[in-house]
Amino acid sequence: MDTNAARPSRPRTVFTPEHEMFREQFRRFVEREIAPHHRDWERAGIVPREVWQKAGAQGFLCTMLDPEYGGAGGDFGHAAIIIEELARVNASGVAFQLHSDIVVPYIGSYASEARKREWLPRMAAGEIIGAIAMTEPGMGSDLKAVRTRAVRDGDHWVINGAKTFISSGQNAGLVIVVCKTDPEAGRRGVSLIAVEEGTPGFTKGRKLEKIGMHAQDTSELFFEDVRVPVGNLIGEENGGFRHLMHQLPQERLVIAVRAATSMETMLEKTIAYTKERQVFGHSVFDFQVHRFKLAQAKAEIAMFRVYVDDCIARHMKGELSGEEAAAAKLLGTEMQNRLLDDFLQMHGGYGYMAEYEIGRAWADARVGRIYGGSSEVMREIIARTL
């Protein structure tokens, strides 16, 4: 991999020298353990669990988690570097960011001390892979419409329901289930309850076929009279909506960070390809229509890089607002889809071939406008602040 590829045109100030040393360490791990194998994982539809264990052994999981619980004790800058380096090689199936920066924070922030000590060290080591189960068949992510129920029965919760489109659903050893504990209270009746793999009544359905992100296992999950201890409640009973709203800005920033690096990388690859590809005796790059599109893309990507780096810096200070994160996700994923479509077009027929990275990146990017809250939801969040 070309370590000089896709460098922004202006120096980045959001990362410290220590961050950049961490980047070099993780980049070597990606080059050795991930990039050479990702195409095989796409064909298999899943990333081996051993990859998480190797990453955990080297401190590349749960980088923001307190060392007391097995984490690296870093900040969101370290997490952003993990996201960027995976995006740089389009390793869309390696869901370290989902595990470390979306699932683990719920447990670290809201679980009981006993559950933190039971689960977090194993998650940091890659022994347990985390997932969050929100979406249900026929209702999307509308929390008011959640039908999965959890009923208190003595010292246990009894869970019944079904979830779909769950990322890391096959690999997951621990799933945070969004369920109703007070059906009459709407969003105020939602709770988060953790269910461990192997719990009787908890089954994983088929591995869903997607148009992109083929290496990331996405599944249906089913819960039939699943009994878990009351201590598996994550946070407050009926407080799940509040907990979700507090954590979602980081999830949306994670998606925006990936979009920024994806665009930078694919721009550089497209520039190189168009200078090599010949049409009518000239390189594709020689045609003004393509040069101008690439110039426009470079300008737009540079502007977005400044914004997303500012969001990273603000988030590390605890100052990033929900609408700012929504704006980053909205702008980043919409721009990513539009520009990658242009880049694919410049590759001609080869761009549509799966062996060319641009085609896979284009297909992988499409879900960015849907998961973590659709672009329409992002616009609604921003509109409420007007």
Side-chain angles (χ1 to χ4, degrees), residues 245-260:
M245 293 305 102
H246 183 74
Q247 295 295 332
L248 278 172
Q250 178 164 296
E251 178 177 351
R252 288 160 182 163
L253 180 56
V254 164
I255 296 169
V257 169
R258 187 183 191 284

Side-chain angles (χ1 to χ4, degrees), residues 1 20 33 61 86 95 104 108 110 164 176 198 212 267 271 298-299 302 309 321 327 331 335 345 349 353 378:
M1 182 176 66
E20 294 301 341
E33 302 291 350
L61 297 180
L86 291 174
V104 164
Y110 308 120
T164 193
I176 298 175
L267 172 63
I271 291 171
K298 184 177 178 65
D309 275 5
S321 68
L331 294 174
M335 186 188 302
Q345 188 74 16
M353 298 295 105
M378 297 304 99

